[in-house]
Amino acid sequence: MTAIYDNEKFFERYQQMPRSQQGLAGAGEWATLAPLLPDFTNQDVLDLGCGYGWHARYAAEHGARSVLGIDISEKMLAVARQKTTSPVITYQRGDLTKLDLPADQYETVLSSLALHYVPDFAAVVEQVARYLKPNGQFIFSVEHPVFTAAGSEQWHRDSQGQIQDFPVDRYFEEGERTTEFLDTPVRKYHRTLTTYLETLLQRGFVLEHVVEPQPPVSMLDLPGMRDELRRPMMLIVVARNQG
Ligand SMILES: C[S@@+](CC[C@H](N)C(=O)[O-])C[C@H]1O[C@@H](n2cnc3c(N)ncnc32)[C@H](O)[C@@H]1O
């Protein structure tokens, strides 16, 4: 099992990011995501690609009966484990595409910014539909298809370094992209908006929310944040299992 988040250099840089230091408060999409989350009271919750466990802890602190956080990276899980003593939370190392969890187990399956690392979204949706109880919710964020399309995920800049525009290219060519993130080549997967949404609809999910989060006004003065009003960086989807 290889995991980019276990790469020493990459992980060191990731630890320094505001969202790694401040958690949900440092995440530009949190103000949009938080109101979309359910009342976790007495829920069994699964967090796919849990990272440091910010969302897992949020669910536990808001009444979840159990939270299972899955991540492929030992280093991410080590930090997650340090950050909680909650008996409600279990962290497990695993590839979220190769899990064998019980069916009809969870009221909510969360996944924050992990599914663009996964090649086969339809297979994930199939699994999630099985893990969810009838009427359960699948709530996930991914990098936005407009953001992932060209592959570089970098602004076009002029000779003075000023932003000119953001490239969107190869939009309908789904598949692998390699982007420089934290000075490391990282493999991600681009899919169209149609693929994200249609895959859910075809599997019998009902779409409850589709949101392209913008940074909140309170974060606009942070470096680079105002530029995030020029392009959609993330996509948030809330879908209900009708199976
Ligand atoms: C950008 S981080 C997000 C972490 C956390 N969900 C958050 O929002 O703070 C992406 C996480 O997905 C994990 N990940 C990527 N591919 C995975 C896979 N196939 N199975 C399990 N975890 C995976 C990475 O190890 C990393 O912790």
Side-chain angles (χ1 to χ4, degrees), residues 5 49-51 54-55 71-73 76 94-96 112-114 117:
Y5 286 79
C50 62
W54 303 111
H55 303 83
D71 205 282
I72 201 168
S73 159
M76 296 297 269
D95 182 338
L96 70 90
S112 166
L113 297 176
Y117 291 104

